[in-house]
C-alpha cells in the first residue's frame, strides 16, 4: 500500500475569462492526511472536480501511480485508485444501502462473487455503525447516515487516495465521532486522504500537511502537527 | 424479542405474498396460453391481443430505457420503424454496393434473415444515436429524440419511391399459413412468446449488475461515474439493447404477424406519446407494470369507443329521451390524458404499483423503515435542493 | 391597392434612413446609468445605431437598446452576410456549374468537419490554449473550408470568439448555397436575373414568419429561464389560444349584431387579449396544482416529471378541444383589409431589375403585433419590479427568496405568462392559418428549434432564433435543388439545424454558459 | 387518503358505464333478427377525422331512413337494419383489426366504407377471405377492387381470382384525373404546376395526371408537400419567381392544408389570376368551410365527384338538407356515396332474397340497377360479364363506371357550392362557358 504517487503538474482550469484554478502543482507520495483549505470561491471544489475527472483541466497534467488521469472520465480515475465524496451527499436515493455499496463493488470487480462483496460491504457498514439499515432505501436515511454511506461506498473502491469534501458539514456530533474514527482507520490502512473542510479546527487537528488555495492558486503549504485521536 | 418476532412474521407474510404473486402471475400466463383455444372468442380478440403484446413490448422496453436507465427518449417508435423498414427494404431490394459492383439480391434474404438485419441496423443506429446523446440530458435528450424521429418519419413519407410513402411498405410475410384460423393462432403464440422472451431478457438485464449500474446512473450520473461505473458504455449499451428489442418487435410485428404493412403515420409523435402514457399508467419503473399498463390501457381505450353514458335518473327531455347522453368515444383520449396526468401527480409509480408492492411484500418493509427512522432521531437536516455545482 | 403600394415603397425609402438617424441619436443613451467599466464607446454605439437602424429598422434599434451585448455580433453578421452574398453571386456566375466539386462538397464537408472536431480540440488542450468553442468552430470550419482549417487553427491556435464562429458559419452557409447552385443550375436562387429579387423575397418571407414564430418561442424560453423546465404543452396552448379567440369573436360578433341590428364583425385583434387572459389563468392553475409540488421537494427526478406532466396536460387540451370543437378547419376574419403589400418591379439598369416583392398583409400585421409584444415583454422584464423579480428568480432562486421575492409566485407567474404568450401567438395566427385541433404540433416543434438555437432561457435569443429559423425554412424550401422535394422537407431543415446545435453547442447562440 | 379517493373515483367512473340503445318507432313489424352492416371510417387521428365523421353520419342516416321505411323486406319479412361503424384511424393495421372485429364479433352481413385507400387495400383480402359483400364509397386508389391485384408491392397476388366480393362506387383516381386533364387541355394549357401531398391519395393521382399531361405535350412540374404544413409562402414565391407564370396550378392536397395553400396562393396573387388557373379538389365543394378558410379563393375551379347540384334528385336535395341541418355545410360527395352504398346493399339483399347468402348478394349487386342520390347505379364488369375488353383497365371490375366527375368553378365570393358554375364536361355546363376568367361574371 505504500506505492502511492499522485502528482499534479501546473493544473489550470478556466471558465470563460475566470481562472478558477491557476497552475496548481503538488504531489502525494505516502499515506498521509492532507488538509485543503481556502475561502469560498477559492477553487477547492473545482480542483476536486478536476482531480476526480468530473472536469477536464484547461491545461496541466495529473499522474496517479504512473498513469495519466487528467481529462479521463471520472470512472477511469476512480479505477486508477482515486475516490471522492461530494460536498452535498449524493446517495443513490431509490436504491437500498446494500445496492449503494454494491455499485462500486461490482463496477470495480465485475467477476467477484456476489456473496464476498456483500460480506465486505456488511463489514464496512458495521464499522460505520449503520449495518442495521442494509435493506433500507437510502433516501429514507438521515443526512448524517447518508454521509456515512458515502464514506462506506468509497471503501468498496479500495482506492489509494481519498478526497473527502466537507465530511463534517451538517452532521450530528455523535456521527462526527464515527467519521473521525473512519478517517484514522482508513489512514492506518495506508491510504492518503485529502480533506477539504470549512471546519478549520478539524482540519488543523487532523492534517499532517496543509494546502491553502487562494484565488485558484496554491499560496503556501505548511506542515501541521497531528494530534492524537480523541478517545 | 417481541419486536423481532413481529419482523419475522412480517417477513413470512412477505414470502407468502410473493408466492401468491407468482401464482397469480402463473395464472395470468396460463390464461394467455389458453386464450386462443377458447372457441367462443373471435379472431378479432386474438388480433387485439397480438397488437396488445406488441405494444406491451414497446412500453416495457421504454420503461427499461426511461424508467430504469433514466434515458428519456422519444425515439423509441423510430427505432421500431427502422427495424421494420430495413427488413422490408432488404427483402424487396437487397443490398447494393454500387461502387464496389457487389449486389446482394433480395432472393438471398429470407423473411428471418431480413428481420435479423433489420434488428441489427436498428441496434447500429441506436449505437450512433446513443453516442450522440451522451452529452445531452433530460429535456435536451427528449427534444433531440423527437427531432430524430420526426426526421425519420418525414424521410419515410417523402422518399415514397423507395419506401412506399403513406401507402406503407409491406414486409416479406414471416408465416405463410393458408388457413386463417390457424394462422391467427400461430401469430398469437409467436407474439406472446416474443413478449415473454423480451420481458425475461429485460428482467434479467434489469436485475443483473448492469441493471444496478443503470439505476445508479439514473439516480445520479456523476456519483455513479465517481463510483467507477462506466457511464458511457452503459448508456450506449442500453440504447443499443432497447433499440434492438423494438427493432426486432417491429420487424416481426409488421411481417404480416400483427399488421401487413408499416406506414409512416405509425411513427408520429402521437403514437410515441401513447407508448409513454401506457408506461406511465402501468408504472414506469416496472417492466411488468409497463407491459400490463399497455395491455390494459389499450383495452380500455378500445372499450371506451363504444360506451355511451346516459343518465336518466328520472330526468327526461321533452320527447322522452335521456336528459344527459355522453358518448365517450370522442372524449376517450382526453379522459386517458386526465388519467395519465393524475397518475403522474399522485401515483408516480403507476396504477398497478399497489398490487405489485403488495405481492412483493415491499409495503411491509416500508413500514419497518418508518419505525426504524422514528427511533433514530439524530438528524441535522441539510439544506434542500441546493446543487453541487 | 395602388396607393398602398406607393406608401409601402415610400416607407421603405424613407424609413431606413429615418431609423438610421434615430439610431444615431438614441443608441448612445444606452450608456446612461451604466457603471464606468461597462461603458461602450460612443462611436461603436453610433455606428451600430446607423447600421442597425438602416438594416433592421425598429427591430434592430430595440434589440441593441435592450441588449447592447448583441451590437458587435449583429453588425458583424450583417457585414459578413452582405459580403458572402455578393461574392457568391459572383462565384456562381464565374464557376462552371458542373464543377466536379459537387461530390467533394457533399462528401468531404462533413468528413472534414468530423476530423476537425475530433483533432483540433485535442490539439488546443495539448497546447494549453483556451479551448472554449473550439469544437464548434472546428466542425464549422472543417465543413466550410475543408483541410485548410487545420492549417488555420493548428499553427496559430487562436482564441475562438464569436467573430470566428460567424465568419466560419457564413462560409459554411455559402458552401451549401454553392452546392445547391451546382446541383440545379436552374434554381431560382442562383439564376440571374431573379436571384437578388428572389433571395430578398425569400428572406423577407422568412423574417416576417420568423418574428411570428418568435413570439411563441419566447414563452417557452421564459418558462425555462425561471423554472428550468421545457413545457411540452406549449403547442396545445398555442392551439387553444386560437380557439378561444375564434369563439370569442364569434359570440361577440353575434351579440353585437343582435344588439345593434346590423352585421358587426369584431376585429380579431380583440381576440388576443381575451385568449391571453384565459390561457394565463389555465397555465397558472395548472402550475399551482401540478408543478408547484415539484419545487416543494415532493417529486423526485424533476426534469422527467416536468416533461411528462406538461406532455399530459397538452394531451388533455388537444383531445378536449377535438371533442368540443370538432375536426373541421376554422379561421377568423382578417386583421386588415389589405391582401398584400407589394414593392413594384423597378428597372435599375438595363439588364438588372429589382422586384416585385410581396408580403401578405395580415402576416405583416401579425409580425408587428409579435414584435410589439416581444418588446413589451422585454420592457416588462427589464424595467418593472415584477419583471426584475422574475429575472432575479431565474438567476438565483435562493438569493431572490432572501430579498423578499416569493419564488412560488414567480413560478406561477412565469408559467402563466409563458402559456399566455403561446396563446397570444395562436390568437394572432388564427386569421392567417386554417385552425384545427392538431395545429400546434408543427408549430411547437419549430419553437423548440428556435429556443435551442437562441439558447434556452434567453429572450433576445428567441427573437433572433425565430428569424433565423424563418429564413432557413424559407431559403431551404426556396433553394432546395430538387424543386419537388423542397417543400416536403421544409420542416426537416429546421430539425437538422436543431440536431446540429444540440450536438455542437447545446447552449445555443445566446444561452448562458454553464459549468 | 388521497390515493384511495382517486382509486374510488376511477372505479366509480368505470361502474357508471351502462349502455343506451336507441329504440325505433313502432309503426312497422320487425323480425327478431337485425341485419348488421359494418361501416369502416376514420374517426380519430391520424386518420382524416372530418371525412370519417361525415361518412359515419351518412351510414347511420341511411339506416335510419331505411328503418323508418320499415327496414329491409326479404320475402315479406321486415328486418331492421343496423350499421356498426368501426374506427380505422386511417391505419391499415387498425383497419384490418376493426374489420376482423366487425366480421367476427358483430357478425356483419355486409360492409360499407373506407376513406383511406391504404385501409381499403389492407382490408380487401380479409373481406374476400370471409366472403363479405362490400361496397366501397370513397377510396380512389386504382388498385382497390381491381380484378386480381397483379402488382402489389411486388408481392404475388393473394387471391388469384381477384377480389370478388368488393365493389366500388367512388371513382378510381385515373377516372377523376382524366376529366380535369381533358378540361385543362381543352383550354390550351401547356405549363402545369402540381402541388401534391405525399400520401396515398396525392401521389398516384399526381402520377396519373402528369402522365396524361405529358402525353399531350404539356410540361409538368410537381411539388410535394407534407400534410399539416401551414406556411406555403416560400414555395409559392418559388413559383412566382419563374420567368413565366404557369398556366395552371393544380392542387392535390386535402383538408385544412389545401385551404391554407389555396388562400396563400390567392393572397400572393399567383392564382387564380389572369395568367394562371387555380384548380383545387373536391374539398372546395363544402362552401362554408371553403369560404371560412379561403376568403380570397374566388374563381378557383375544383373537381367534384357526384351528380351536379342542378340535377340533384329529390332524394339528393333531401339528404343535403339533413346534412346541412346536422353539420351546417353542403354534403360532401363521399357522404352521399356512403349513403347510397347502404341503400345498394339493402336493395341487393331484397332482390337476392337473403341477407346471409354472400354469393346471392354479390350476384344481386352485380345486377343492381337503381336510382339513388348520386344517380343510377350499375356495374358493367363482374362475374356476369367477366371479359374486360382490350384497353379497359383492370379496376373496372366491380367498378361503377358512371361516377359523374365534373369541374366546377366559383365566380362570386361566398357563393354556395350548389350554385357554383359547372364548366366541364360540356354536357353538364350550367353557365354556357368552359372557363370563367377571373374578374368576370358568366
Amino acid at each position: 500500500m505504500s506505492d502511492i504517487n499522485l502528482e499534479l503538474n501546473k493544473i489550470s482550469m478556466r471558465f470563460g475569462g475566470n481562472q478558477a484554478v491557476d497552475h496548481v502543482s503538488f504531489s502525494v507520495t505516502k499515506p498521509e492526511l492532507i488538509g485543503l483549505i481556502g475561502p469560498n470561491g477559492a477553487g477547492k471544489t473545482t480542483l476536486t472536480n478536476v482531480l476526480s475527472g468530473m472536469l477536464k483541466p484547461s491545461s496541466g497534467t495529473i499522474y496517479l501511480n504512473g498513469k495519466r488521469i487528467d481529462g479521463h472520465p471520472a470512472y477511469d480515475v476512480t479505477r486508477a485508485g482515486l475516490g471522492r465524496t461530494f460536498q452535498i451527499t449524493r446517495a443513490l436515493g431509490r436504491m437500498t444501502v446494500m445496492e449503494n455499496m454494491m455499485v462500486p463493488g461490482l463496477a470495480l470487480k465485475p467477476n467477484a462473487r456476489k456473496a464476498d462483496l456483500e460480506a465486505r460491504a456488511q463489514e464496512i457498514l458495521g464499522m460505520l455503525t449503520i449495518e442495521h439499515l442494509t435493506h433500507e432505501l437510502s433516501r429514507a436515511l438521515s443526512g448524517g447516515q447518508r454521509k456515512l454511506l458515502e464514506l462506506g461506498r468509497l471503501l468498496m473502491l479500495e482506492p489509494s487516495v481519498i478526497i473527502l469534501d466537507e465530511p463534517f458539514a451538517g452532521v450530528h456530533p455523535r456521527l462526527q465521532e464515527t467519521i473521525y474514527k473512519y478517517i484514522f482507520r482508513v489512514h492506518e490502512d495506508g491510504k492518503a486522504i485529502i480533506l477539504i473542510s470549512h471546519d478549520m479546527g478539524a482540519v488543523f487537528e487532523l492534517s499532517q500537511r496543509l494546502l491553502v488555495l487562494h484565488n485558484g492558486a496554491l499560496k503556501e503549504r505548511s506542515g501541521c502537527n497531528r494530534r492524537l485521536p480523541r478517545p | 424479542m417481541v419486536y423481532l418476532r413481529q419482523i419475522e412474521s412480517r417477513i413470512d407474510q412477505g414470502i407468502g405474498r410473493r408466492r401468491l404473486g407468482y401464482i397469480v402471475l402463473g395464472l395470468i400466463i396460463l390464461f394467455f396460453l389458453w386464450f386462443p383455444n377458447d372457441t367462443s372468442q373471435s379472431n378479432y380478440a386474438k388480433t387485439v391481443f397480438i397488437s396488445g403484446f406488441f405494444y406491451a413490448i414497446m412500453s416495457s422496453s421504454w420503461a427499461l430505457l426511461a424508467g430504469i436507465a433514466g434515458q428519456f427518449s422519444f425515439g423509441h417508435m423510430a427505432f421500431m420503424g427502422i427495424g421494420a423498414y430495413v427488413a422490408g427494404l432488404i427483402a424487396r431490394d437487397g443490398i447494393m454496393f454500387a461502387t464496389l459492383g457487389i449486389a446482394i439480391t433480395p432472393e438471398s434474404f429470407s423473411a428471418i434473415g431480413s428481420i435479423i438485419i433489420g434488428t441489427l441496423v436498428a441496434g447500429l443506429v441506436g449505437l450512433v444515436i446513443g453516442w450522440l446523446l451522451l452529452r445531452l440530458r433530460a429535456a435536451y435528450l427528449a427534444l433531440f429524440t423527437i427531432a430524430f424521429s420526426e426526421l425519420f418519419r418525414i424521410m419515410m413519407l417523402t422518399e415514397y419511391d423507395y419506401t412506399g410513402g403513406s401507402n406503407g411498405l409491406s414486409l416479406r410475410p414471416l408465416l405463410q399459413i393458408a388457413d386463417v384460423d390457424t394462422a391467427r393462432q400461430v401469430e398469437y403464440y409467436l407474439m406472446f412468446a416474443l413478449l415473454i422472451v423480451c420481458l425475461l431478457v429485460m428482467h434479467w438485464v434489469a436485475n443483473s449488475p448492469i441493471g444496478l449500474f443503470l439505476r445508479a446512473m439514473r439516480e445520479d450520473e456523476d456519483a455513479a461515474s465517481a463510483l467507477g461505473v462506466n457511464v458511457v458504455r452503459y448508456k450506449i449499451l442500453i440504447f443499443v439493447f432497447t433499440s434492438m428489442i423494438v427493432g426486432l418487435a417491429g420487424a416481426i410485428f409488421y411481417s404480416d404477424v400483427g399488421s401487413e404493412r408499416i406506414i409512416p403515420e405509425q411513427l408520429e409523435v402521437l403514437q410515441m406519446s401513447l407508448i409513454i402514457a401506457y408506461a406511465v399508467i402501468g408504472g414506469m419503473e416496472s417492466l411488468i407494470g409497463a407491459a400490463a399498463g399497455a395491455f390494459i390501457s389499450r383495452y380500455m381505450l378500445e372499450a371506451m369507443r363504444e360506451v355511451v353514458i346516459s343518465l336518466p335518473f328520472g330526468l327526461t327531455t321533452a320527447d322522452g329521451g335521456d336528459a344527459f347522453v355522453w358518448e365517450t368515444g370522442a372524449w376517450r383520449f382526453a379522459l386517458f390524458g386526465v388519467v395519465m396526468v393524475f397518475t403522474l401527480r399522485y401515483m408516480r409509480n403507476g396504477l398497478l404499483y399497489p398490487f405489485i408492492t403488495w405481492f412483493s411484500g415491499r409495503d411491509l418493509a416500508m413500514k419497518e423503515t418508518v419505525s426504524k427512522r422514528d427511533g433514530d432521531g439524530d438528524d441535522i437536516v441539510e439544506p434542500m435542493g441546493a446543487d453541487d455545482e | 391597392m395602388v396607393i398602398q403600394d406607393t406608401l409601402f415603397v415610400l416607407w421603405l425609402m424613407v424609413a431606413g434612413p429615418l431609423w438610421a438617424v434615430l439610431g444615431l441619436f438614441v443608441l448612445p443613451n444606452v450608456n446612461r446609468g451604466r457603471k464606468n467599466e461597462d461603458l461602450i464607446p460612443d462611436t461603436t454605439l453610433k455606428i451600430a445605431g446607423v447600421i442597425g437602424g438602416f438594416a433592421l429598422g425598429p427591430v434592430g434599434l430595440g434589440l441593441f437598446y435592450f441588449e447592447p451585448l448583441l451590437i458587435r455580433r449583429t453588425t458583424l453578421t450583417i457585414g459578413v452576410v452582405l459580403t458572402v452574398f455578393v461574392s457568391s453571386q459572383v462565384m456562381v456566375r464565374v464557376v462552371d456549374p458542373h464543377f466536379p466539386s459537387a461530390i467533394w462538397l457533399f462528401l468531404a464537408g462533413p468528413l472534414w468537419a468530423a476530423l476537425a472536431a475530433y483533432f483540433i480540440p485535442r490539439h488546443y488542450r495539448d497546447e494549453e490554449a483556451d479551448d472554449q468553442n473550439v469544437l464548434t468552430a472546428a466542425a464549422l470550419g472543417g465543413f466550410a473550408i475543408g483541410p485548410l482549417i487545420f492549417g488555420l487553427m493548428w499553427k496559430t491556435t487562436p482564441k475562438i470568439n464569436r467573430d470566428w464562429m460567424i465568419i466560419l458559419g457564413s462560409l459554411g452557409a455559402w458552401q451549401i448555397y454553392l452546392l445547391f447552385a451546382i446541383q440545379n443550375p436552374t434554381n431560382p436562387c442562383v439564376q440571374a436575373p431573379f436571384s437578388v429579387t428572389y433571395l430578398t423575397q425569400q428572406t423577407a418571407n422568412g423574417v416576417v414568419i420568423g418574428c411570428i414564430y418568435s413570439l411563441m418561442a419566447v414563452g417557452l424560453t421564459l418558462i425555462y429561464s425561471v423554472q428550468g423546465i421545457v413545457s411540452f404543452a406549449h403547442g396545445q396552448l398555442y392551439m387553444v389560444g386560437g380557439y378561444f379567440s375564434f369563439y370569442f369573436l364569434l359570440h361577440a360578433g353575434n351579440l353585437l349584431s343582435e344588439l345593434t341590428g346590423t352585421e358587426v364583425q369584431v376585429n380579431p385583434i380583440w381576440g388576443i387579449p381575451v385568449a391571453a387572459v384565459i390561457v394565463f389563468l389555465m397555465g397558472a392553475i395548472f402550475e399551482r396544482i401540478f408543478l408547484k409540488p415539484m419545487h416543494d421537494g415532493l417529486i423526485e427526478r424533476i426534469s422527467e416529471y416536468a416533461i411528462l406532466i406538461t406532455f399530459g396536460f397538452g394531451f388533455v387540451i388537444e383531445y378536449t378541444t377535438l371533442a368540443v370543437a370538432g375536426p373541421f378547419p376554422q379561421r377568423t376574419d382578417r386583421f386588415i383589409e389589405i391582401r398584400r403589400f407589394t414593392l413594384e418591379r423597378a428597372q435599375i439598369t438595363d439588364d438588372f431589375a429589382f422586384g416585385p416583392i410581396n408580403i401578405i398583409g395580415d402576416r405583416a400585421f401579425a409580425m408587428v403585433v409579435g414584435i410589439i409584444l416581444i418588446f413589451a415583454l422585454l420592457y416588462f422584464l427589464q424595467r418593472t419590479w415584477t419583471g426584475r423579480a422574475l429575472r432575479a428568480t431565474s438567476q438565483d432562486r435562493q438569493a431572490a427568496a432572501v430579498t423578499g421575492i416569493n419564488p412560488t409566485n414567480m413560478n406561477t407567474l412565469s408559467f402563466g405568462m409563458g402559456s399566455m404568450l403561446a396563446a397570444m401567438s395562436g390568437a394572432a395566427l388564427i386569421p392567417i392559418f386554417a385552425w384545427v385541433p392538431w395545429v400546434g404540433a408543427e408549430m411547437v416543434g419549430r419553437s423548440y428549434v428556435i429556443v435551442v438555437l437562441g439558447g434556452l432561457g434567453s429572450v433576445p435569443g428567441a427573437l433572433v432564433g425565430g428569424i433565423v429559423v424563418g429564413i432557413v425554412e424559407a431559403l431551404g424550401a426556396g433553394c432546395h435543388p430538387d424543386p419537388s422535394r423542397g417543400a416536403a422537407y421544409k420542416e426537416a431543415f429546421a430539425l437538422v439545424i436543431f440536431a446540429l446545435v444540440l450536438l455542437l453547442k447545446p447552449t445555443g447562440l445566446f444561452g448562458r454558459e454553464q459549468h | 387518503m388521497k390515493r384511495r379517493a382517486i382509486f374510488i373515483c376511477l372505479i366509480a367512473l368505470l361502474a357508471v358505464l351502462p349502455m343506451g340503445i336507441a329504440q325505433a318507432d313502432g309503426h312497422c313489424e320487425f323480425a327478431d333478427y337485425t341485419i348488421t352492416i359494418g361501416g369502416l371510417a376514420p374517426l380519430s387521428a391520424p386518420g382524416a377525422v372530418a371525412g370519417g365523421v361525415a361518412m359515419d353520419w351518412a351510414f347511420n342516416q341511411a339506416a335510419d331512413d331505411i328503418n323508418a321505411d320499415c327496414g329491409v323486406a326479404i320475402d315479406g319479412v321486415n328486418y331492421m337494419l343496423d350499421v356498426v361503424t368501426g374506427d380505422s384511424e386511417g391505419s391499415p393495421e387498425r383497419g384490418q383489426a376493426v374489420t376482423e372485429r366487425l366480421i367476427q364479433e358483430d357478425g356483419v352481413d355486409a360492409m360499407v366504407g373506407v376513406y383511406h385507400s391504404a385501409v381499403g387495400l389492407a382490408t380487401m383480402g380479409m373481406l374476400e377471405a370471409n366472403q363479405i359483400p362490400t361496397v366501397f364509397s370513397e377510396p380512389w386508389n386504382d388498385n382497390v377492387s381491381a380484378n386480381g391485384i397483379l402488382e402489389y408491392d411486388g408481392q404475388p397476388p393473394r387471391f388469384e381470382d381477384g377480389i370478388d366480393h368488393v365493389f366500388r362506387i367512388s371513382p378510381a383516381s385515373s377516372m377523376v384525373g382524366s376529366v380535369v386533364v381533358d378540361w385543362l387541355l381543352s383550354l390550351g394549357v401547356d405549363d402545369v404546376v402540381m402541388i401534391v401531398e405525399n400520401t396515398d391519395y396525392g401521389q398516384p393521382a399526381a402520377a396519373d395526371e402528369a402522365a396524361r399531361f405529358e402525353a399531350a405535350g404539356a410540361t409538368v412540374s410537381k411539388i410535394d408537400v407534407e400534410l399539416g404544413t401551414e406556411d406555403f409562402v416560400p414555395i409559392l414565391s418559388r413559383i412566382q419567381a419563374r420567368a413565366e407564370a404557369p398556366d395552371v396550378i393544380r392542387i392535390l392536397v386535402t383538408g385544412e392544408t389545401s385551404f391554407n395553400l389555396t388562400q396563400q396562393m390567392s393572397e400572393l396573387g399567383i392564382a387564380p389570376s389572369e395568367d394562371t388557373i387555380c384548380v383545387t379538389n373536391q374539398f372546395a365543394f363544402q362552401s362554408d368551410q371553403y369560404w371560412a378558410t379561403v376568403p380570397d379563393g374566388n374563381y378557383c375551379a375544383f373537381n367534384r365527384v357526384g351528380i351536379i347540384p342542378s340535377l340533384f334528385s329529390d332524394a339528393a336535395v333531401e339528404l343535403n338538407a339533413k346534412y346541412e341541418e346536422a353539420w351546417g355545410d353542403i354534403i360532401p360527395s363521399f357522404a352521399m356515396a356512403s349513403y347510397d352504398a347502404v341503400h345498394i346493399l339493402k336493395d341487393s339483399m331484397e332482390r337476392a332474397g337473403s341477407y346471409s347468402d354472400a354469393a346471392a348478394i354479390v350476384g344481386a349487386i352485380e345486377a343492381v340497377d337503381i336510382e339513388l342520390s348520386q344517380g343510377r347505379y350499375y356495374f358493367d364488369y363482374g362475374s356476369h360479364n367477366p371479359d374486360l375488353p382490350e384497353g379497359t383497365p383492370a379496376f373496372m371490375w366491380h367498378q361503377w363506371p358512371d361516377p359523374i366527375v365534373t369541374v366546377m368553378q366559383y365566380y362570386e365570393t361566398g357563393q354556395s357550392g350548389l350554385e357554383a358554375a359547372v364548366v366541364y364536361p360540356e354536357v353538364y355546363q350550367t353557365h354556357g362557358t368552359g372557363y370563367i376568367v377571373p374578374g368576370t361574371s358568366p
Side-chain angles (χ1 to χ4, degrees), chain C residues 226-259:
Chain C
V226 176
Q227 300 219 32
I229 63 168
V230 174
S231 166
F232 279 75
H234 217 61
Q236 283 74 22
L237 290 164
Y238 156 86
M239 174 275 291
V240 86
Y243 270 108
F244 281 132
S245 169
F246 173 77
Y247 282 112
F248 167 74
L249 296 173
L250 191 72
H251 291 300
N254 288 346
L255 194 69
L256 286 177
S257 302
E258 255 173 52
L259 288 179

Side-chain angles (χ1 to χ4, degrees), chain A residues 114-210:
Chain A
K114 222 178 157 195
D116 292 348
L117 287 173
E118 274 174 5
R120 169 87 181 122
Q122 201 65 36
E123 186 190 324
I124 293 172
L125 291 176
M127 182 186 100
L128 291 165
T129 70
I130 48 173
E131 71 275 21
H132 60 296
L133 297 170
T134 313
H135 295 295
E136 302 309 323
L137 291 186
S138 64
R139 69 169 169 193
L141 267 51
S142 72
Q145 289 168 337
R146 255 181 270 172
K147 209 118 207 173
L148 291 177
L149 171 60
E150 256 198 357
L151 296 172
R153 277 191 327 206
L154 264 189
L155 290 190
M156 292 298 288
L157 292 168
E158 301 183 358
S160 51
V161 180
I162 288 181
I163 305 176
L164 301 179
D165 199 348
E166 302 283 1
F168 306 114
V171 176
H172 191 275
R174 206 175 71 215
L175 293 183
Q176 277 190 9
E177 270 321 299
T178 318
I179 297 178
Y180 275 114
K181 279 185 201 152
Y182 167 90
I183 291 174
F184 293 131
R185 173 88 181 272
V186 170
H187 180 227
E188 278 161 18
D189 280 354
K191 301 179 197 309
I193 298 177
I194 299 175
L195 188 64
I196 303 170
S197 179
H198 279 111
D199 186 351
M200 300 292 264
V203 176
F204 275 115
E205 205 173 345
L206 286 168
S207 350
Q208 296 157 316
R209 220 171 115 198
L210 211 54

Side-chain angles (χ1 to χ4, degrees), chain B residues 43-44 47 160 166 184 305 308, chain D residues 18 87 97 100 104 200 222:
Chain B
N43 270 0
Y44 171 69
T47 311
Y160 45 81
S166 74
R184 204 38 59 81
R305 245 178 233 285
V308 178
Chain D
D87 180 4
E100 196 162 35
Q104 303 203 334
D200 53 347
K222 185 160 150 272

Side-chain angles (χ1 to χ4, degrees), chain B residues 84 143 165-166 178 187 224 287 313 331 335 364-365 367:
Chain B
L143 291 176
S166 74
E187 285 160 4
L287 298 175
F313 291 143
W331 286 86
L335 286 177
L364 299 169
K367 274 181 205 146

